[in-house]
């Protein structure tokens, strides 16, 4: 087993990690940081009901609270610096060294589990721990001050929801961290497309005019566009700017396709045409 911050080389000798995370590694860490923030926004909006302006203030406060745990970077080497020293991810098995403990003569298992992808695995747990502590310290004060117009039973439900999804995210990282590392760009694209379609359908947005009726709808649309762009950048890695940057022009395509075809899939129209025998 290698000490934290080291991994074995091709000769099975522990060597200190001297590299730094590449662009894809930072995008992965950004995705793992976005997960609790997006879930916070969703549950704040869900339990705020018609008090949408109060939800907006809580969401801004939570955004600030999610930025503070960046101090998690300072707990990793070099300590006290925002610069990270890391080991390169070479293959999927680097994330699951516990599955490769040898058993000489099939009698005694030699435990040599260590963080071969330092610090991509543990830094997520550190970040979630900081997020949870800060939420428990700051969110009740914000809720009491801002969400006083909500019912007593609804006021703290977004906090209770976080107490459920933080353990779920932790288990997800512990079990599927390596899978998420390779699949997160496609997860972002699929989820952002599905949630955008569901939101526009639930909000009965069928034209560009419907989008302009409420500022909140534009905020949601631009948020999804940012997620689309993030997913495209994560897939392409922007290794070749002249080829990859034009792909960002595809960001508005799903929303435009939905608005242009919504009138043809409106349920009442389909039912009326079915009743007329068409």
């Amino acid at each position: 087993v290698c000490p934290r911050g080291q991994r074995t080389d091709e000769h099975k000798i522990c060597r200190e990690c001297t590299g730094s995370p590449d662009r894809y590694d930072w995008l992965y860490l950004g995705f793992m940081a976005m997960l609790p923030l997006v879930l916070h926004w969703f549950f704040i909006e869900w339990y705020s009901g018609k008090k949408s302006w109060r939800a907006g203030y809580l969401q801004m406060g939570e955004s600030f609270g999610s930025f503070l745990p960046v101090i998690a970077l300072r707990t990793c080497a070099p300590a006290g610096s925002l610069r990270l020293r890391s080991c390169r991810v070479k293959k999927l098995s680097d994330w699951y060294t516990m599955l490769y403990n040898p058993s000489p003569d099939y009698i005694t298992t030699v435990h040599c589990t260590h963080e071969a992808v330092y610090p991509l695995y543990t830094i997520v747990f550190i970040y979630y721990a900081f997020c949870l502590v800060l939420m428990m310290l700051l969110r009740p004060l914000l809720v009491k001050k801002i969400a006083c117009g909500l019912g007593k039973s609804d006021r703290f439900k977004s906090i209770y929801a976080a107490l459920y999804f933080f353990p779920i995210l932790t288990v997800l990282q512990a079990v599927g961290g390596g899978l998420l590392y390779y699949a997160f760009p496609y997860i972002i694209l699929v989820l952002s497309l599905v949630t955008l379609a569901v939101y526009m359908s639930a909000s009965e947005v069928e034209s560009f005019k419907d989008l302009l009726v409420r500022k909140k709808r534009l905020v949601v649309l631009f948020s999804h566009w940012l997620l689309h762009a993030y997913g495209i950048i994560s897939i392409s890695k922007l290794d070749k700017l002249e080829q990859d940057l034009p792909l960002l022009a595809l960001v508005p395509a799903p929303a435009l396709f939905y608005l242009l075809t919504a009138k043809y899939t409106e349920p009442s129209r389909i039912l009326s045409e079915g009743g007329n025998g068409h």
Side-chain angles (χ1 to χ4, degrees):
V1 60
C2 293
R4 189 166 187 261
Q6 298 184 17
R7 69 169 295 173
T8 55
D9 60 10
E10 61 274 9
H11 302 294
K12 309 303 179 184
I13 299 175
C14 291
R15 302 290 186 186
E16 187 175 3
C17 300
T18 56
S20 57
D22 58 19
R23 185 182 295 114
Y24 188 83
D25 294 339
W26 284 113
L27 289 169
Y28 165 73
L29 293 177
F31 167 73
M32 297 307 294
M34 279 194 299
L35 283 178
L37 179 59
V38 172
L39 289 172
H40 277 308
W41 285 350
F42 172 79
F43 285 110
I44 288 172
E45 180 69 27
W46 181 269
Y47 290 118
S48 294
K50 298 181 179 180
K51 308 288 185 178
S52 58
W53 64 273
R54 299 183 188 276
Y57 285 125
L58 283 177
Q59 288 167 339
M60 287 188 291
E62 188 54 48
S63 301
F64 178 73
S66 296
F67 176 76
L68 286 179
V70 171
I71 56 178
L73 297 177
R74 301 177 64 88
T75 65
C76 300
S81 173
L82 290 180
R83 178 182 171 273
L84 281 182
R85 192 179 72 234
S86 71
C87 300
R88 294 284 181 176
V89 180
K90 299 178 182 179
K91 50 188 176 180
L92 179 62
S93 59
D94 290 344
W95 290 82
Y96 304 104
T97 56
M98 73 289 292
L99 301 179
Y100 296 91
N101 291 325
S103 299
D105 300 325
Y106 303 98
I107 298 175
T108 304
T109 300
V110 179
H111 296 281
C112 55
T113 301
H114 63 282
E115 189 179 7
V117 293
Y118 173 87
L120 299 181
Y121 191 73
T122 54
I123 196 173
V124 176
F125 298 123
I126 298 172
Y127 176 80
Y128 287 168
F130 275 112
C131 283
L132 185 59
V133 171
L134 286 174
M135 184 200 70
M136 296 301 296
L137 292 176
L138 301 179
R139 180 80 82 78
L141 300 177
L142 285 174
V143 170
K144 187 174 181 180
K145 194 73 175 177
I146 298 175
C148 56
L150 299 176
K152 290 184 178 180
S153 60
D154 297 331
R155 196 179 301 179
F156 295 100
K157 282 186 177 179
S158 61
I159 299 178
Y160 300 149
L163 296 179
Y164 281 99
F165 69 67
F166 265 119
I168 293 174
L169 291 178
T170 301
V171 173
L172 187 65
Q173 166 67 4
V175 177
L179 299 175
L180 288 174
Y181 178 81
Y182 289 101
F184 81 88
Y186 308 98
I187 294 175
I188 290 176
L189 287 180
V190 172
L191 289 183
S192 59
L193 287 173
V194 171
T195 54
L196 178 62
V198 170
Y199 175 79
M200 296 182 75
S201 176
S203 301
E204 298 182 355
V205 177
E206 298 180 359
S207 65
F208 294 98
K209 184 179 179 180
D210 294 334
L211 277 176
L212 301 176
V213 172
R214 296 181 181 178
K215 295 180 181 179
K216 177 183 174 182
R217 293 178 179 177
L218 291 177
V219 172
V220 173
L221 177 64
F222 289 139
S223 299
H224 279 84
W225 282 1
L226 289 176
L227 288 176
H228 295 338
Y230 196 93
I232 292 174
I233 291 173
S234 300
I235 292 175
S236 65
K237 302 179 185 178
L238 295 183
D239 292 330
K240 298 179 180 179
L241 293 179
E242 66 278 3
Q243 296 181 8
D244 298 335
L245 282 180
L247 293 175
L248 295 179
L250 297 174
V251 169
L256 294 176
F257 178 81
Y258 181 92
L259 293 174
L260 292 175
T261 59
K263 59 183 179 181
Y264 301 111
T265 58
E266 208 281 322
S268 61
R269 176 176 177 174
I270 296 175
L271 291 174
S272 63
E273 290 182 352
N276 294 331
H278 296 290

